[in-house]
Amino acid sequence: IGSVAARIYRADTDRIDYVGLYLRRRLQVVNSRNISEPEFVFSGSGSALFCRRAMLEDVRLSSEYLDDTFFAYWEDVDLAWRAQLRGGRCLFAPAAVAHHIGSASQGGQVHLVNKSAFIQRHAWKNRYLILTKNAPAGVLLALLPWLLLAEFLYWPYLLFRIPHRLPVFFQAHIDYLRLFRNTIQKRRCIQRNRQIGTREVLRFFKGF
């Protein structure tokens, strides 16, 4: 076991915020349907995640546990990818309970479309960095139709929902291209040292 995920409630409520997490094929995280029994999952939320030191040392790249190029948003998912690829499993422990003020730094705006331009820029950039850095070639191939469909739907959604943020979306792509070479270097190290195959990675994906 490399890490333990908690059952996390929204602050001052009895509403579940996070339990064990899986991945959607469009590359979003989704809660497990199980909220009461221990199970191995892809990850837990970075808001309350217990990590074994040996796992952190095992997945460290240079001096980084969390990737500095991510800055914010998805850095916990990136850590989970690296841990899983090295065989560091994540156990959801429902008896571990926490309360979380979601997006407190964003005035409680949970949905990405309502967050600040600064956070949106990092979130969009980091989505591409996650795949480039961590997904084995076989996983990329298996996910390609879903990822292309997500992109096809996402652009018009942004155009009609938050058209004033399209420049931020373009800037996120520029940021990604600027970081591409460095990310590929990290990818080589991660893929060279991974200990699970494509089939095991694909088990972490649940639905579109």
Side-chain angles (χ1 to χ4, degrees), residues 78-90:
D78 172 65
L79 177 65
W81 268 94
R82 285 182 280 137
Q84 291 288 355
L85 290 174
R86 287 287 295 162
R89 304 173 77 189
C90 180

Side-chain angles (χ1 to χ4, degrees), residues 92-132:
F92 167 57
V97 175
H99 295 266
H100 178 224
I101 303 175
S103 297
S105 64
Q106 296 293 298
Q109 297 293 343
V110 175
H111 299 293
L112 183 59
V113 293
N114 298 322
K115 292 181 185 290
S116 69
F118 180 77
I119 291 297
Q120 288 175 344
R121 177 174 169 179
H122 283 293
W124 289 326
K125 169 201 62 155
N126 293 346
R127 182 172 178 270
Y128 298 115
L129 291 180
I130 283 269
L131 276 176
T132 304

